[in-house]
Structure formats: structure tokens, C-alpha cells
């Protein structure tokens, strides 16, 4: 098989890269070891981020969420549940945090409005009865699996080949340059550029060419009940910590999440202590959350690549993404890694990765993914 761009990974990022590359006219092959969206994308928390969560500590991520959530509402309305969101300050929370939160929201462009707590508690009867202050922001919920399928369909409509259940097992390196890859079934794919969009597994893919991805892996545990207990995304109004956010997704409500360093991207076990902590955090926001139905628990692993990734303290690390040209990073050309980030910002990540492909191939071509609507369901 011969192609301009070989994309490794069929999560939100890889599907976004395949769509973007194919729409720019590059012949494109995407390989995914499982089915589409079988990695972190299918196991995330479900939130379309307005950016409000990051405004104080991580304004870069916040700005990316502001612009990308607006774009997703435009190009993927069928995959966004525009619930709105509310940040609530509860007794015991740092009462000075809103003094930083409000101006920081305004500085990065998050539309924020202080609400009367009594009104919020009337509109959300399940919510804790002791809300001290409340702020409306444009958070929402995201059908990320639907989005991946739509990106893959759009990529295929532009000529891309989407190969699922086809793990990449090796990269071909010739004279210091990645020139393609080998699939588990023995197929060889010759490529001008390989884009490594393997999420938490990106380090393993890069290692196939002797390259490194400087990321710290962090596990997040989530719990859900099969009842929609709130109408809007509800977040604690405090610096990001464990168990801050309740997302109404479809007919369920998801509470999360944690942030625990792990060494192995396949270490996605939801351990009992974290599950109990998330259930208790849910009960703090919505009393009775954990007894509202059978509690389902799972975990997913995120690669943290932003500023501070080499330091301890996961919540300190920027949730932004990184595009690595391994020619510059490790002296091995032809391999570009795009990792980190959020489902909310997958389109931007893909755009930057394909910009790097254009630069590597000396063939600048404009990105159109923010302009063209994705296919519906
Ligand atoms: C706990 C948690 C909660 C989150 N919550 C949110 C949220 O609420 N909102 C938000 O916007 N973002 C959230 N995120 C971030 C978001 O989930 C991710 O940014 C996004 O889903 C990552 O997509 P990806 O395509 O980069 O990775 P993945 O979805 O993991 O895709 C990588 C793919 O590569 C494949 N792969 C790996 N190795 C190979 C190989 N050798 N050959 C072929 N394929 C391979 C895997 O099977 C996988 O499908 C959360 C993340 C975590 C961990």
C-alpha cells in the first residue's frame, strides 16, 4: 500500500487528522488497532468544554476550548448537546476563587454570568441545597464516538482509507527517515509522512522508530448512574481537583474524574478507592447521586504533554496538546506525533498536525475543517 499520509490511531485525534489530510488532497490511510474510538475517546467524561474549567490555571487550554467549542457547535451540531453549564461554590470551598474565576473567564472570552443561587436550585432540584454562588457558562456534552465516525466518513468521502482492527506493529526507518509502517497482518504501507495519533499509546508507536514522546500518563476514574439527574453540566467553582464535574450525557449522569500517574497506557482499572471517592463527590453536588441507580465505573488514560508535564502534580499540567516533528526532536524525519489535548480541541490538534505534514512535504495547503459541516448520523 502506498500513501502520502499514514495516520496511526482512530480516536478523535486520528479521525480528525485523516479528515483534514484527505480534505487537503493528500492520499491518506488511517490504521486503528481496534474499532474506531476504542481508546480514550470512548471512555472520556463527555464534556464539551467552554474553557471555564481552565481559565485560572491554564488559560492556553481555556482559549483553545473557547474557539473550538464554538467551531464544533457550527460544524457538528448533531453531536453536541448544548446543555449549558453552571459553576457552583459550596460551603467550605475557597470563597475568594470567584474573584479570580470571573475576570479570568472574561479575559479569555468565556461568556460567564453570575446567577442567583436560589434560581439555580429551583431550576436544578437535584442539586445540593446550600449553593453559595453560581455562574452560568456555555459548557455542554459531546457525543465523541459519533464525532469520530462522522470524521471517518468525511475522510472516506475525500478518498481516505480507514482500516480498523489493523494494528501497526512496526515503522520502517530508512536513512534516518520513517518511510512507512508494517501492520500486524503483514501489510506494508509506504508513506511520505506518518502521523502518530495513538493517544496514550503514542510513546509506544514513536518508540518503533527509536523516538520519544515526552508525556506523563495519568489515569482518570469516572462513575455514572443511568438517570439524568441534572439538566446542565455542573462544576465545582474551585481550582481543578478530583471529582469536580457532573455531566448529563444522554440518559445518564457522569461524575469525574481523578488524576493518578500510571506507567502503562493499558492500566485503565477503576480501583475501588477512586470509585468510592467519585461517588462521594457526586453525592456532594447532587445528594443521592450514588443511590440513583446501579453505579457504573470505568477509567481512561490521558497523556499529559503540556507545560509542567515533567513535574509532579497532575492538575498543574496544562491540558493543551503538542505536535512533535521527530525530525527536529529525535533526528528521525517523516514522523509527526500529535498528542495530549481534549476531545473538545481534537479539530485544532488535527489542523496543527496536518500543517506540520504540509511543512514536512513542502506543500502548504489551507485547512477547511472549520468551514465544512460534518455528516450527520
Ligand atoms: C479520564 C478522562 C476524562 C476526559 N474527559 C474529557 C472531557 O470531558 N472532555 C474533553 O473534551 N476531553 C476529555 N478527555 C480528553 C479526551 O478524551 C482525549 O483528548 C481524546 O479522547 C483523545 O483522543 P485521541 O484520539 O488522542 O486518543 P484515543 O481515543 O485513545 O485514540 C488513540 C487510538 O490509537 C489506537 N492505537 C494505539 N496503538 C495503536 C497501534 N499500534 N496501531 C493502531 N492503532 C493504535 C488506540 O486503539 C486508540 O483507539 C478526557 C480524558 C480522560 C483520560
Amino acid at each position: 500500500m502506498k500513501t502520502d499520509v499514514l495516520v496511526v490511531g482512530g480516536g478523535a485525534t486520528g479521525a480528525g487528522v485523516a479528515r483534514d489530510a484527505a480534505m487537503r488532497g493528500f492520499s491518506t490511510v488511517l490504521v486503528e488497532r481496534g474499532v474506531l474510538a476504542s481508546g480514550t475517546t470512548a471512555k472520556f467524561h463527555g464534556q464539551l468544554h467552554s474553557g471555564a474549567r481552565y481559565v485560572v490555571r491554564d488559560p492556553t487550554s481555556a482559549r483553545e476550548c473557547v474557539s473550538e467549542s464554538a467551531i464544533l457547535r457550527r460544524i457538528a451540531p448533531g453531536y453536541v448537546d448544548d446543555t449549558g453549564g453552571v459553576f457552583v461554590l459550596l460551603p467550605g470551598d475557597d470563597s475568594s476563587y470567584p474573584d479570580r474565576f470571573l475576570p479570568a473567564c472574561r479575559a479569555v472570552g468565556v461568556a460567564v454570568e453570575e446567577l442567583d443561587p436560589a434560581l439555580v436550585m429551583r431550576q436544578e432540584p437535584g442539586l445540593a441545597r446550600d449553593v453559595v454562588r453560581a455562574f452560568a457558562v456555555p459548557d455542554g456534552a459531546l457525543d465523541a464516538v459519533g464525532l469520530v465516525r462522522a470524521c471517518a466518513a468525511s475522510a472516506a468521502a475525500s478518498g481516505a482509507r480507514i482500516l480498523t482492527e489493523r494494528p501497526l506493529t512496526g515503522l520502517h526507518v530508512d536513512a534516518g527517515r520513517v518511510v512507512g509502517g508494517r501492520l500486524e497482518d503483514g501489510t506494508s504501507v509506504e508513506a511520505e509522512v506518518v502521523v502518530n495519533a495513538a493517544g496514550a499509546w503514542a510513546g509506544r508507536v514513536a518508540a518503533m522508530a527509536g523516538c520519544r514522546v515526552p508525556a506523563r500518563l495519568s489515569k482518570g476514574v469516572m462513575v455514572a448512574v443511568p438517570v439524568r439527574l441534572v439538566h446542565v453540566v455542573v462544576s465545582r467553582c474551585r481550582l481543578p481537583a478530583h471529582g469536580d464535574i457532573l455531566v448529563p450525557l444522554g440518559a445518564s449522569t457522569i461524575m469525574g474524574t481523578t488524576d493518578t500517574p500510571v506507567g502503562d497506557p493499558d492500566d485503565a482499572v477503576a480501583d475501588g478507592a477512586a470509585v468510592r471517592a467519585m461517588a462521594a463527590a457526586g453525592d456532594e453536588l447532587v445528594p443521592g447521586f450514588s443511590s440513583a441507580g446501579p453505579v457504573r465505573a470505568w477509567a481512561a488514560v490521558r497523556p499529559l504533554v503540556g507545560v509542567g508535564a515533567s513535574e509532579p502534580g497532575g492538575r498543574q499540567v496544562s491540558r493543551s496538546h503538542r505536535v512533535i516533528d521527530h525530525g527536529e526532536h529525535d533526528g528521525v524525519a517523516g514522523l509527526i506525533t500529535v498528542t495530549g489535548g481534549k476531545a473538545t480541541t481534537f479539530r485544532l490538534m488535527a489542523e496543527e498536525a496536518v500543517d506540520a505534514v504540509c511543512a514536512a512535504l513542502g506543500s502548504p495547503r489551507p485547512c477547511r475543517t472549520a468551514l465544512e459541516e460534518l455528516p450527520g448520523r
Side-chain angles (χ1 to χ4, degrees):
M1 222 183 279
K2 223 171 162 174
T3 187
D4 293 333
V5 183
L6 170 61
V7 184
V8 185
T13 310
V17 170
R19 173 181 191 236
D20 193 329
M23 281 172 67
R24 294 199 214 193
F26 292 115
S27 62
T28 302
V29 174
L30 179 149
V31 293
E32 160 57 48
R33 68 176 181 177
V35 295
L36 286 176
S38 49
T40 301
T41 300
K43 302 177 187 118
F44 83 139
H45 198 167
Q47 185 177 9
L48 177 72
H49 281 280
S50 66
R53 176 164 174 76
Y54 304 110
V55 287
V56 170
R57 197 179 258 168
D58 190 358
T60 303
S61 285
R63 279 196 187 87
E64 289 166 356
C65 291
V66 169
S67 54
E68 288 303 309
S69 59
I71 290 171
L72 282 184
R73 284 184 169 94
R74 209 170 55 232
I75 65 164
Y79 304 98
V80 171
D81 184 359
D82 231 334
T83 59
V86 64
F87 274 63
V88 295
L89 187 82
L90 297 182
D93 289 341
D94 174 6
S95 61
S96 71
Y97 183 72
D99 301 337
R100 290 190 280 160
F101 175 74
L102 267 176
C105 278
R106 291 184 180 126
V108 305
V110 174
V112 61
E113 186 195 346
E114 180 147 20
L115 302 173
D116 175 0
L119 175 75
V120 172
M121 289 184 282
R122 260 202 313 281
Q123 287 172 342
E124 292 290 349
L127 200 59
R129 296 292 86 194
D130 47 3
V131 173
V132 180
R133 292 181 76 179
F135 305 90
V137 297
D139 282 330
L142 189 61
D143 171 5
V145 175
L147 208 54
V148 169
R149 292 203 184 111
C151 283
S154 164
S158 295
R161 295 186 64 183
I162 308 292
L163 306 179
T164 54
E165 299 181 66
R166 305 286 287 276
L168 181 92
T169 51
L171 286 170
H172 300 310
V173 184
D174 184 25
R177 184 179 181 85
V178 171
V179 292
R182 189 176 52 256
L183 309 188
E184 194 180 53
D185 61 8
T187 307
S188 195
V189 186
E190 271 178 54
E192 297 294 324
V193 179
V194 175
V195 178
N196 170 13
W201 298 270
R204 288 192 180 164
V205 170
M208 294 175 188
C211 297
R212 238 172 46 79
V213 174
R216 204 152 62 67
L217 300 181
S218 152
K219 177 163 74 174
V221 170
M222 287 144 284
V223 298
V225 289
V227 192
R228 200 164 161 113
L229 294 171
V230 283
H231 300 97
V232 300
V233 176
V234 181
S235 304
R236 295 290 287 264
C237 192
R238 63 185 183 192
L239 277 175
H242 289 354
D244 282 340
I245 308 174
L246 268 179
V247 181
L249 187 67
S252 68
T253 309
I254 310 177
M255 180 70 201
T257 171
T258 58
D259 187 337
T260 317
V262 288
D264 179 351
D266 291 309
D267 175 6
V269 176
D271 47 297
V275 171
R276 285 190 293 279
M278 289 305 95
D283 286 334
E284 275 181 42
L285 273 176
V286 171
F289 165 82
S290 61
S291 49
V295 175
R296 189 166 64 88
W298 70 98
V301 176
R302 45 171 98 74
L304 297 177
V305 293
V307 178
S310 56
E311 290 150 26
R315 297 281 175 204
Q316 265 42 277
V317 181
S318 166
R319 282 342 195 213
S320 190
H321 56 272
R322 201 165 157 198
V323 175
I324 302 168
D325 182 328
H326 291 281
E328 292 157 18
H329 195 259
D330 303 285
V332 180
L335 178 64
I336 289 162
T337 291
V338 52
T339 188
K342 316 218 55 72
T344 303
T345 58
F346 84 98
R347 193 213 60 83
L348 174 67
M349 295 169 65
E351 176 175 344
E352 291 179 9
V354 181
D355 285 348
V357 169
C358 290
L361 297 180
S363 175
R365 304 176 189 193
C367 172
R368 301 197 331 269
T369 55
L371 306 174
E372 293 190 20
E373 199 169 313
L374 279 158
R377 280 158 214 283

